[in-house]
Amino acid sequence: MTFGEVKQLLYEMVVMYHSGAMVVWEKTKGVTPKPPYITLGYSNLNRSGFPLLDDDGECRYYNYSFTFEINLYTVGKEIQVTGGGTAYENTAVEDMEEFIRFLDSDGMTDRLVEKDVTIVMNPPIRDLSELIGDTKFNYRSMAEFTVTFAGTASGTYGVADSTVPNSSGGGMEEFAEVETYAIDEVIIKEETDDGD
C-alpha cells in the first residue's frame, strides 16, 4: 500500500463508526464545523532503511510506521439538573474509548489484516476539554496510534505504481514507464581440464 492509501483506509474506518459526525483531516482549508466532529492528523513517517525484494527482484517492500492522531469534539450528553434546567456532561473521553474498542474488534482487525496494516493505541486517551469564555466548554479528547504497513516501490525508478507527476510536481511518466529487466535463466557449463 501507499501512504495515501493507508490514510484513506483510516479515514474510511473513522467515518464508518462516526456516521453522525463530520470527519476532516487537520491542516485542510475550510470552516471549522460545529460539534460533533473529528479531526485526523499524522506525523513522523518512518521507513525501513533496507527493502525486502520479491522473487523476481522487480518490487521492493519497505516497512513504514507513523503516528496517527484523532481529536474528537462533542457537545456532550444532555442531563437534567436539579431545579429544572439542563446541562451537558463531558463524554469526550468515553466516546473516544468506545471508538478504540471498535478499532480493536475482530471485525476491524480482520479488515486491517487483509490490507497488512496494524494500528496500536499509544495510551493514554487525553481529555483536552477547555472553558471558552465564562460559561461554555469545548469538550475534546485526543488519542494517538502507531500505524504500520508494508509499502512497495516498483520499477526501475520506484514509481511504476505511482501517479506521476504528483500534486507537488514530482516524477515524470517516463520514470513510471521504464521496464525492469530480469535474468530469466542462467546456463552454467562446467569445463574440465581436458577442454570438454
Side-chain angles (χ1 to χ4, degrees):
M1 293 191 82
T2 65
F3 182 48
E5 289 169 338
V6 174
K7 283 174 43 187
Q8 183 61 33
L9 174 66
L10 295 172
Y11 180 85
E12 290 168 1
M13 291 171 57
V14 174
V15 168
M16 181 189 303
Y17 183 79
H18 293 98
S19 59
M22 180 179 281
V23 180
V24 295
W25 285 100
E26 291 179 343
K27 301 174 187 169
T28 54
K29 295 178 183 178
V31 178
T32 301
K34 291 183 178 181
Y37 69 95
I38 313 292
T39 63
L40 309 177
Y42 56 88
S43 60
N44 305 325
L45 178 64
N46 296 302
R47 186 184 87 163
S48 59
F50 301 99
L52 299 171
L53 299 175
D54 65 5
D55 292 339
D56 299 327
E58 294 181 9
C59 192
R60 296 173 300 284
Y61 296 90
Y62 293 91
N63 292 317
Y64 287 87
S65 68
F66 65 95
T67 302
F68 175 55
E69 179 182 302
I70 300 177
N71 285 276
L72 181 149
Y73 297 83
T74 182
V75 293
K77 180 172 73 175
E78 186 175 335
I79 56 171
Q80 298 298 317
V81 294
T82 306
T86 59
Y88 290 88
E89 177 185 356
N90 183 1
T91 60
V93 170
E94 61 193 89
D95 292 348
M96 180 69 79
E97 197 280 326
E98 288 177 5
F99 173 68
I100 292 168
R101 280 189 273 147
F102 167 76
L103 280 182
D104 289 339
S105 69
D106 291 342
M108 294 313 295
T109 300
D110 290 346
R111 284 176 181 251
L112 291 167
V113 166
E114 288 175 10
K115 303 287 186 180
D116 293 324
V117 175
T118 61
I119 300 175
V120 177
M121 186 202 160
N122 304 329
I125 299 172
R126 295 177 180 91
D127 186 348
L128 301 178
S129 301
E130 59 186 348
L131 182 63
I132 300 174
D134 294 330
T135 59
K136 187 175 179 184
F137 274 95
N138 181 23
Y139 296 139
R140 172 183 167 207
S141 63
M142 187 268 280
E144 286 185 339
F145 305 81
T146 298
V147 178
T148 60
F149 67 99
T152 59
S154 57
T156 302
Y157 293 100
V159 294
D161 297 327
S162 302
T163 301
V164 288
N166 63 24
S167 57
S168 299
M172 296 188 318
E173 287 185 29
E174 291 82 14
F175 295 156
E177 294 170 354
V178 173
E179 291 186 29
T180 303
Y181 297 98
I183 298 172
D184 290 335
E185 185 178 329
V186 175
I187 301 173
I188 299 174
K189 209 172 171 182
E190 184 176 334
E191 286 189 21
T192 59
D193 288 340
D194 60 3
D196 291 331

